[in-house]
Short mmCIF file of all heavy atoms in Angstrom, two decimals:
data_model
loop_
_atom_site.label_atom_id
_atom_site.label_comp_id
_atom_site.label_asym_id
_atom_site.label_seq_id
_atom_site.Cartn_x
_atom_site.Cartn_y
_atom_site.Cartn_z
N ILE A 921 -5.73 6.67 13.46
CA ILE A 921 -5.81 7.12 14.87
C ILE A 921 -4.59 6.58 15.64
O ILE A 921 -3.98 5.63 15.24
CB ILE A 921 -7.06 6.67 15.63
CG1 ILE A 921 -7.27 5.15 15.56
CG2 ILE A 921 -8.28 7.43 15.03
CD1 ILE A 921 -8.49 4.61 16.37
N ASN A 922 -4.18 7.33 16.64
CA ASN A 922 -3.02 7.01 17.41
C ASN A 922 -1.76 6.83 16.58
O ASN A 922 -1.00 5.91 16.75
CB ASN A 922 -3.22 5.80 18.27
CG ASN A 922 -2.16 5.60 19.39
OD1 ASN A 922 -1.55 6.50 19.79
ND2 ASN A 922 -1.96 4.35 19.73
N PRO A 923 -1.34 7.80 15.68
CA PRO A 923 -0.17 7.70 14.85
C PRO A 923 1.02 7.98 15.71
O PRO A 923 1.05 8.95 16.50
CB PRO A 923 -0.34 8.78 13.83
CG PRO A 923 -1.27 9.77 14.40
CD PRO A 923 -2.13 9.05 15.39
N HIS A 924 1.99 7.18 15.63
CA HIS A 924 3.25 7.46 16.45
C HIS A 924 4.40 6.64 15.78
O HIS A 924 4.19 5.71 14.98
CB HIS A 924 3.09 7.03 17.89
CG HIS A 924 2.76 5.61 18.09
ND1 HIS A 924 1.46 5.15 17.91
CD2 HIS A 924 3.54 4.59 18.53
CE1 HIS A 924 1.47 3.88 18.24
NE2 HIS A 924 2.71 3.47 18.59
N ILE A 925 5.61 6.99 16.09
CA ILE A 925 6.76 6.34 15.60
C ILE A 925 7.57 5.69 16.74
O ILE A 925 7.81 6.36 17.74
CB ILE A 925 7.70 7.38 14.84
CG1 ILE A 925 6.91 7.99 13.72
CG2 ILE A 925 8.94 6.68 14.36
CD1 ILE A 925 7.55 9.21 13.09
N GLU A 926 7.92 4.47 16.63
CA GLU A 926 8.70 3.72 17.60
C GLU A 926 9.91 3.09 16.81
O GLU A 926 9.75 2.32 15.96
CB GLU A 926 7.88 2.60 18.21
CG GLU A 926 6.78 3.00 19.14
CD GLU A 926 6.02 1.84 19.74
OE1 GLU A 926 6.60 0.69 19.79
OE2 GLU A 926 4.89 2.06 20.12
N ASN A 927 11.10 3.57 17.24
CA ASN A 927 12.36 3.02 16.65
C ASN A 927 12.38 3.00 15.13
O ASN A 927 12.69 2.01 14.46
CB ASN A 927 12.59 1.55 17.15
CG ASN A 927 12.68 1.54 18.70
OD1 ASN A 927 13.20 2.40 19.27
ND2 ASN A 927 12.12 0.54 19.26
N GLY A 928 11.90 4.08 14.59
CA GLY A 928 11.80 4.26 13.10
C GLY A 928 10.75 3.49 12.45
O GLY A 928 10.73 3.43 11.19
N VAL A 929 9.79 3.03 13.15
CA VAL A 929 8.63 2.29 12.55
C VAL A 929 7.36 3.08 12.88
O VAL A 929 7.05 3.43 14.01
CB VAL A 929 8.49 0.88 13.17
CG1 VAL A 929 7.22 0.21 12.66
CG2 VAL A 929 9.69 0.00 12.84
N PHE A 930 6.63 3.44 11.79
CA PHE A 930 5.33 4.12 12.04
C PHE A 930 4.29 3.08 12.52
O PHE A 930 4.20 1.92 11.98
CB PHE A 930 4.82 4.76 10.71
CG PHE A 930 3.39 5.21 10.83
CD1 PHE A 930 3.23 6.47 11.43
CD2 PHE A 930 2.36 4.48 10.48
CE1 PHE A 930 1.93 6.97 11.57
CE2 PHE A 930 1.04 4.95 10.69
CZ PHE A 930 0.84 6.18 11.19
N LYS A 931 3.53 3.44 13.45
CA LYS A 931 2.43 2.65 13.96
C LYS A 931 1.19 3.50 14.18
O LYS A 931 1.26 4.61 14.53
CB LYS A 931 2.82 2.00 15.31
CG LYS A 931 4.02 1.02 15.23
CD LYS A 931 4.29 0.33 16.53
CE LYS A 931 5.48 -0.56 16.42
NZ LYS A 931 5.63 -1.43 17.61
N GLY A 932 0.05 2.88 13.87
CA GLY A 932 -1.21 3.54 14.04
C GLY A 932 -2.33 2.56 13.64
O GLY A 932 -2.09 1.41 13.31
N THR A 933 -3.54 3.02 13.71
CA THR A 933 -4.72 2.18 13.40
C THR A 933 -5.54 2.98 12.40
O THR A 933 -5.93 4.10 12.56
CB THR A 933 -5.56 1.92 14.68
OG1 THR A 933 -4.76 1.30 15.71
CG2 THR A 933 -6.74 1.07 14.35
N LEU A 934 -5.87 2.27 11.26
CA LEU A 934 -6.67 2.79 10.22
C LEU A 934 -8.07 2.51 10.63
O LEU A 934 -8.35 1.38 10.94
CB LEU A 934 -6.32 2.10 8.87
CG LEU A 934 -7.03 2.58 7.66
CD1 LEU A 934 -6.18 2.49 6.44
CD2 LEU A 934 -8.36 1.84 7.47
N ILE A 935 -8.93 3.54 10.56
CA ILE A 935 -10.35 3.31 10.82
C ILE A 935 -11.16 3.84 9.67
O ILE A 935 -10.84 4.84 9.07
CB ILE A 935 -10.78 4.06 12.23
CG1 ILE A 935 -12.28 3.74 12.42
CG2 ILE A 935 -10.54 5.58 12.08
CD1 ILE A 935 -12.71 4.24 13.78
N ASP A 936 -12.12 3.07 9.26
CA ASP A 936 -13.02 3.30 8.12
C ASP A 936 -14.40 2.95 8.47
O ASP A 936 -14.60 1.91 9.04
CB ASP A 936 -12.43 2.63 6.84
CG ASP A 936 -13.28 3.02 5.64
OD1 ASP A 936 -13.49 4.18 5.37
OD2 ASP A 936 -13.68 2.08 4.90
N ILE A 937 -15.33 3.75 8.07
CA ILE A 937 -16.75 3.46 8.17
C ILE A 937 -17.28 2.89 6.87
O ILE A 937 -17.12 3.64 5.83
CB ILE A 937 -17.59 4.66 8.64
CG1 ILE A 937 -17.11 5.21 9.91
CG2 ILE A 937 -19.05 4.30 8.70
CD1 ILE A 937 -17.70 6.58 10.24
N TYR A 938 -17.78 1.71 6.89
CA TYR A 938 -18.25 1.15 5.58
C TYR A 938 -19.77 1.52 5.52
O TYR A 938 -20.55 1.05 6.26
CB TYR A 938 -17.99 -0.37 5.60
CG TYR A 938 -18.30 -1.03 4.22
CD1 TYR A 938 -17.20 -1.01 3.33
CD2 TYR A 938 -19.37 -1.57 3.88
CE1 TYR A 938 -17.29 -1.58 2.06
CE2 TYR A 938 -19.57 -2.12 2.61
CZ TYR A 938 -18.57 -2.13 1.75
OH TYR A 938 -18.66 -2.68 0.47
N ASP A 939 -20.02 2.38 4.52
CA ASP A 939 -21.43 2.70 4.36
C ASP A 939 -21.58 3.14 2.85
O ASP A 939 -20.61 3.20 2.08
CB ASP A 939 -21.89 3.79 5.22
CG ASP A 939 -21.11 5.08 5.06
OD1 ASP A 939 -20.07 5.13 4.34
OD2 ASP A 939 -21.51 6.12 5.58
N PHE A 940 -22.78 3.35 2.46
CA PHE A 940 -23.15 3.74 1.05
C PHE A 940 -23.82 5.09 1.05
O PHE A 940 -24.64 5.41 1.81
CB PHE A 940 -24.13 2.73 0.43
CG PHE A 940 -23.51 1.27 0.34
CD1 PHE A 940 -23.66 0.39 1.32
CD2 PHE A 940 -22.78 0.97 -0.82
CE1 PHE A 940 -23.15 -0.87 1.18
CE2 PHE A 940 -22.26 -0.29 -0.93
CZ PHE A 940 -22.45 -1.20 0.11
#
Side-chain angles (χ1 to χ4, degrees):
I921 56 174
N922 193 27
H924 60 284
I925 300 168
E926 290 180 23
N927 300 321
V929 175
F930 172 83
K931 296 183 179 189
T933 302
L934 181 148
I935 184 170
D936 183 47
I937 302 171
Y938 194 84
D939 63 348
F940 295 93

